[in-house]
Amino acid sequence: MLERAELAHLVDHTLLSPTATVADVEALAAEAEALGTYSICVSPSMLPLPFSPKVKVATVCGFPSGKHTPTAKAAEAAEAVRNGVDEVDMVIDIGTLKSGDTTSTEDEIRAVRDACPAPVVLKVIIESAALTDDEIVAACTAAEAAGADFVKTSTGFHPSGGASEHAVALMAKTLGGRLGVKASGGIRDWDAAQAMVDAGATRLGLSGTRAVLDGGTSTGY
């Protein structure tokens, strides 16, 4: 069982609402610092931040549908890097993967990787709830081959749902510790967060972070 501070340091404290304002992001960063989270994750339009947070800054790319061209995703990632982010969470084209074209999936991840080279951390969102086990394995394999740092379960916006212990465990087994595993989407209380870590998650995406850490129930992402 993790201690509160240990769990907090695994969290990307997230605000991806389309109505978010600069003031909301400033409040997010202040709360992240108070809670001791690893990072904040905000929409790319909020960048560059008009202040200097004391935590890492992440953003999203091709979000939330993934139905953007590789060129557009790469340009979005490159702009985010110019605007000072430490991490980029990209959404793959789920339909391409489900059609069996894993070469194109790998190619689009590599295009984004090239646009945000290390030390920027690249996480690949695969919408695991919409995939079969074989497709989850294929997505993880493509992400690793293309040089990603993490594979992430979900955007939190897909109708199929968010993270599951089964998907996290399968991702962790497939990647064997070579890449991180981020669980996100629908993690709304302490027990769920702990279960994801026990299944193999090395990062968590939460919006209701304070409620989770305080042992309550979050209504957020």
Side-chain angles (χ1 to χ4, degrees):
M1 177 72 70
L2 292 178
E3 298 293 331
R4 188 181 193 272
E6 293 174 317
L7 185 64
H9 196 62
L10 298 179
V11 174
D12 292 340
H13 190 38
T14 301
L15 177 62
L16 296 171
S17 168
T19 60
T21 65
V22 172
D24 293 331
V25 173
E26 289 177 334
L28 180 83
E31 186 172 54
E33 292 167 15
L35 295 173
T37 70
Y38 184 81
S39 76
I40 57 171
C41 183
V42 299
S43 298
S45 63
M46 307 309 298
L47 303 170
L49 296 178
F51 57 91
S52 298
K54 296 178 182 178
V55 298
K56 299 288 188 181
V57 178
T59 194
V60 290
C61 170
F63 193 90
S65 73
K67 288 296 188 182
H68 309 65
T69 66
T71 301
K73 291 179 186 180
E76 189 174 24
E79 182 179 28
V81 172
R82 291 194 298 273
N83 286 334
V85 296
D86 301 293
E87 305 194 346
V88 173
D89 293 24
M90 71 166 287
V91 188
I92 62 169
D93 187 323
I94 311 302
T96 298
L97 178 76
K98 291 188 73 66
S99 72
D101 187 0
T102 54
T103 297
S104 291
T105 298
E106 183 180 329
D107 287 346
E108 73 160 335
I109 298 168
R110 185 173 289 107
V112 175
R113 172 80 282 178
D114 289 346
C116 57
V120 175
V121 170
L122 176 61
K123 309 189 200 85
V124 176
I125 307 173
I126 66 172
E127 294 293 17
S128 57
L131 305 180
T132 66
D133 283 4
D134 286 347
E135 288 165 347
I136 290 172
V137 171
C140 290
T141 301
E144 182 174 11
D149 300 294
F150 278 77
V151 178
K152 174 179 170 181
T153 58
S154 324
T155 60
F157 287 76
H158 198 280
S160 294
S164 70
E165 292 173 58
H166 172 77
V168 169
L170 179 58
M171 292 159 67
K173 179 181 178 181
T174 301
L175 295 167
R178 297 180 299 278
L179 276 66
V181 175
K182 179 176 173 180
S184 63
I187 305 169
R188 296 194 171 93
D189 58 42
W190 177 277
D191 288 345
Q194 182 67 57
M196 294 301 167
V197 174
D198 291 345
T202 55
R203 193 79 68 84
L204 301 172
L206 306 175
S207 59
T209 308
R210 183 180 293 280
V212 171
L213 294 175
D214 288 347
T217 300
S218 165
T219 59
Y221 163 86

